[in-house]
Amino acid sequence: MKTIKAFSVHFPASARRSLYWGVLGLICSGLIAFFIANIYSIPLALIVFLVLGILLLTALTMHLNVLYQEPLVALASKLAPQSAGRALDIADQFAQIEQNLSLIAENLNARSREVSELAERLQSIFDATEEAIIAIRAPNELLAANMAAYRLFELPKSAVVPTAESFFFKAPPIIGIIETCLKEGHAFLDQFSMLKDNHELILTAKGRRFRVGDTDGVVIVINDITSLKKMELLKKNFVANVSHELRTPVQIIKGYAELLDGAEIDEECHSWARVIGHQAARMERIVADLLMLAKLEQDPASWIVKERFPLRSVLAEAVRTLRLQYVDSGAIELDCPQNLKVYANPGLIEQAAFNLMANAVQHSGSHEKILVSVSQEDHDVVLRVRDFGAGIAPKDLAHIFERFYRADRVRSSVSGSGISHSPPSGSSGLGLAIVKHIALAHGGTVRAESWAGEGSLFEFRFPNVTENAGAVDPSRELPSVPPASSEQAPTPNRDMSTEAP
């Protein structure tokens, strides 16, 4: 049995009011006609009733026309501003509205297609990116993740959207990044490990906060640097092994060159022997610097022995060694408190001071002085070396602590006075890199400032901790790095134009 649905017509309030007024007008017209028929005649009453009905119908029609035409005119003017102010009847207005709505629908469809195509392109780029990218809505809703992220965390790209905790189950440190980003706006995790297929992965992650509607969200970018770390370790091991293997043949070459130079041969052969000895000594220093750098880069805390010693005596020995190697150097003014004692490795501190002063001598004229000062700032000891040479170009300043980096050759070979101060055997280009790693090994920092034509200032800072707070137990039977001796003067390991940050 079919059920009949109730059908009702809803009249707007304005139409109902017009209908009420029309019925009231007809009643009034009928009463007027009734009185006229009693006083005059029935035909006259009918004529009056008909005229009043026509007038009432005309008034109601005009009222309804105005009532419904005004919103249509307003709608038509909004959809087609060029038609505003023109007199159109309702049919024309409906036609104009229909035409404009069709154009709007076509534009919306075109925009929808463009948005869909753009979304597809962005998704393709998103999935093709090698970095894992994950978007999270606070507090832990997963908004989106690319294919690299699903592969990294070995999760299926299923319809069930996991939470952030379940997605990062293998990498809990990332949850901390999300919390930091929501509080501070950005975060960076330099390095962390994660197990995948029984292999350790080394990852870095960074995040940034963004708005998602009325709430905050976080986008996380994760890089897998495992292969880079392995290559870096292989490179360091290769350099260390090659340097170690080169040391013996270089020493043999140097020894035979010295024997030839002392033999009874003609002067030309003597000059050849001196050139061979000169270059062998340079190679020997490069090998020594490479071995020192490799040792500093690989767990220095396991072999560095620290002790408390007066810093001024160590710096004075570095100045004495420097003057033996650079006989034409200018005055070196040492300002260090007599009673200042530091807790560090004396050999490494002397090496760092020598490298900084040697660099200053190389880039200053013979008449220019070198200022070496030491101060105690809170719990840190700060060693500053100031030269008055040509200065360092801004483009080179950010790289001077990199190994083998060389700035402009003019600064590397000629001082402000035009006199070359390159050491007798040349520099290895590793001195500033060694200084940086000595600072890091002591929990400190090194930085440089420079002014064109006025010289440079290098600041070597390290904490002056006590024996109990030291990272290395001084009672352990580990050999410390011996201070530079006069027999083997440490070469100007750091050439500002040749050093790398």
Side-chain angles (χ1 to χ4, degrees):
M1 181 178 181
K2 293 184 178 180
T3 58
I4 301 175
K5 296 182 179 178
F7 179 77
S8 62
V9 178
H10 175 72
F11 288 99
S14 58
R16 289 198 302 270
R17 285 195 300 269
S18 299
L19 181 61
Y20 295 154
W21 283 109
V23 172
L24 182 61
L26 287 176
I27 292 173
C28 293
S29 299
L31 291 176
I32 293 172
F34 178 76
F35 285 119
I36 291 176
N38 290 332
I39 297 175
Y40 297 102
S41 62
I42 293 176
L44 180 61
L46 292 174
I47 293 172
V48 171
F49 181 76
L50 182 62
V51 170
L52 291 175
I54 292 172
L55 292 175
L56 179 62
L57 180 62
T58 302
L60 288 175
T61 302
M62 293 178 63
H63 174 70
L64 291 174
N65 187 43
V66 172
L67 184 65
Y68 288 104
Q69 191 173 15
E70 284 183 357
L72 290 176
V73 170
L75 179 61
S77 63
K78 289 181 179 179
L79 294 176
Q82 65 274 13
S83 65
R86 291 190 298 173
L88 297 174
D89 58 20
I90 294 180
D92 292 338
Q93 289 172 359
F94 271 115
Q96 185 68 44
I97 291 172
E98 180 184 8
Q99 180 181 359
N100 292 330
L101 288 176
S102 298
L103 291 175
I104 291 173
E106 291 178 4
N107 291 334
L108 288 176
N109 290 332
R111 293 291 179 87
S112 178
R113 287 193 298 270
E114 291 177 2
V115 170
S116 298
E117 293 174 359
L118 179 60
E120 290 179 1
R121 289 197 296 269
L122 291 177
Q123 186 64 42
S124 299
I125 297 172
F126 190 54
D127 287 334
T129 304
E130 294 183 0
E131 293 83 2
I133 304 175
I134 305 99
I136 307 291
R137 189 206 303 267
N140 64 348
E141 179 188 351
L142 181 70
L143 291 179
N146 64 351
M147 294 304 299
Y150 283 101
R151 287 194 301 268
L152 178 63
F153 295 100
E154 298 181 298
L155 294 173
K157 195 172 184 180
S158 58
V160 180
V161 179
T163 61
E165 286 86 350
S166 60
F167 198 93
F168 299 121
F169 178 75
K170 295 184 177 181
I174 298 181
I175 301 298
I177 286 187
I178 297 174
E179 296 174 354
T180 304
C181 282
L182 291 175
K183 293 178 182 178
E184 302 179 5
H186 59 86
F188 178 71
L189 190 58
D190 183 45
Q191 184 173 310
F192 65 99
S193 299
M194 184 186 79
L195 285 178
K196 179 181 179 183
D197 297 331
N198 296 325
H199 296 287
E200 184 184 22
L201 299 181
I202 302 175
L203 308 172
T204 64
K206 57 184 176 181
R208 185 167 291 275
R209 184 178 60 199
F210 66 97
R211 293 294 295 174
V212 186
D214 297 331
T215 61
D216 286 333
V218 175
V219 59
I220 305 292
V221 180
I222 304 172
N223 287 285
D224 185 356
I225 59 172
T226 307
S227 57
L228 293 177
K229 288 294 182 180
K230 288 181 178 178
M231 290 181 63
E232 183 179 344
L233 181 60
L234 287 174
K235 182 180 70 173
K236 290 179 180 178
N237 291 337
F238 173 77
V239 171
N241 293 334
V242 170
S243 301
H244 187 270
E245 294 298 326
L246 283 175
R247 180 157 50 177
T248 300
V250 167
Q251 288 175 346
I252 293 174
I253 294 173
K254 182 181 177 182
Y256 276 102
E258 292 174 354
L259 288 176
L260 283 174
D261 192 30
E264 294 182 0
I265 52 179
D266 56 51
E267 186 59 31
E268 186 177 9
C269 292
H270 276 292
S271 64
W272 293 346
R274 283 192 289 270
V275 170
I276 295 173
H278 177 90
Q279 296 301 325
R282 181 185 178 190
M283 179 64 73
E284 188 176 31
R285 277 191 295 272
I286 293 175
V287 170
D289 286 346
L290 285 171
L291 290 173
M292 169 65 76
L293 194 56
K295 198 173 183 182
L296 287 169
E297 289 176 337
Q298 295 181 2
D299 192 17
S302 65
W303 60 269
I304 289 180
V305 176
K306 297 180 181 179
E307 61 183 70
R308 185 162 292 280
F309 61 91
L311 182 59
R312 183 179 179 85
S313 62
V314 170
L315 297 181
E317 179 64 21
V319 172
R320 187 184 70 83
T321 306
L322 186 75
R323 284 175 173 155
L324 290 176
Q325 185 163 334
Y326 294 88
V327 294
D328 60 344
S329 65
I332 300 176
E333 297 184 5
L334 177 59
D335 179 15
C336 178
Q338 289 282 359
N339 58 349
L340 177 60
K341 291 188 176 182
V342 297
Y343 183 67
N345 182 281
L348 291 179
I349 297 300
E350 181 179 341
Q351 179 74 52
F354 177 88
N355 288 2
L356 291 174
M357 289 187 287
N359 178 82
V361 170
Q362 291 177 48
H363 306 304
S364 301
S366 59
H367 64 283
E368 298 289 355
K369 62 182 178 181
I370 307 296
L371 303 181
V372 181
S373 63
V374 178
S375 61
Q376 178 96 32
E377 298 180 4
D378 296 329
H379 299 290
D380 292 341
V381 174
V382 184
L383 167 66
R384 294 183 176 91
V385 178
R386 173 77 160 93
D387 70 68
F388 299 89
I392 312 170
K395 66 182 180 63
D396 297 319
L397 193 60
H399 304 283
I400 56 174
F401 293 100
E402 297 171 1
R403 62 173 73 191
F404 297 117
Y405 183 83
R406 293 195 176 271
D408 61 279
R409 293 184 179 275
V410 174
R411 173 176 167 82
S412 302
S413 58
V414 181
S415 67
S417 62
I419 300 174
S420 174
H421 282 272
S422 296
S425 301
S427 63
S428 66
L430 296 169
L432 284 184
I434 291 175
V435 170
K436 181 185 77 171
H437 283 86
I438 290 175
L440 293 176
H442 285 81
T445 58
V446 63
R447 69 181 187 91
E449 297 180 30
S450 187
W451 305 270
E454 298 181 10
S456 305
L457 172 67
F458 284 82
E459 180 183 283
F460 181 89
R461 178 186 295 264
F462 63 96
N464 190 17
V465 296
T466 62
E467 290 87 339
N468 294 331
V472 180
D473 184 2
S475 63
R476 293 167 57 184
E477 296 296 330
L478 291 175
S480 64
V481 175
S485 65
S486 58
E487 297 177 2
Q488 180 64 40
T491 61
N493 290 329
R494 165 193 172 243
D495 175 350
M496 184 174 285
S497 52
T498 311
E499 270 2 273

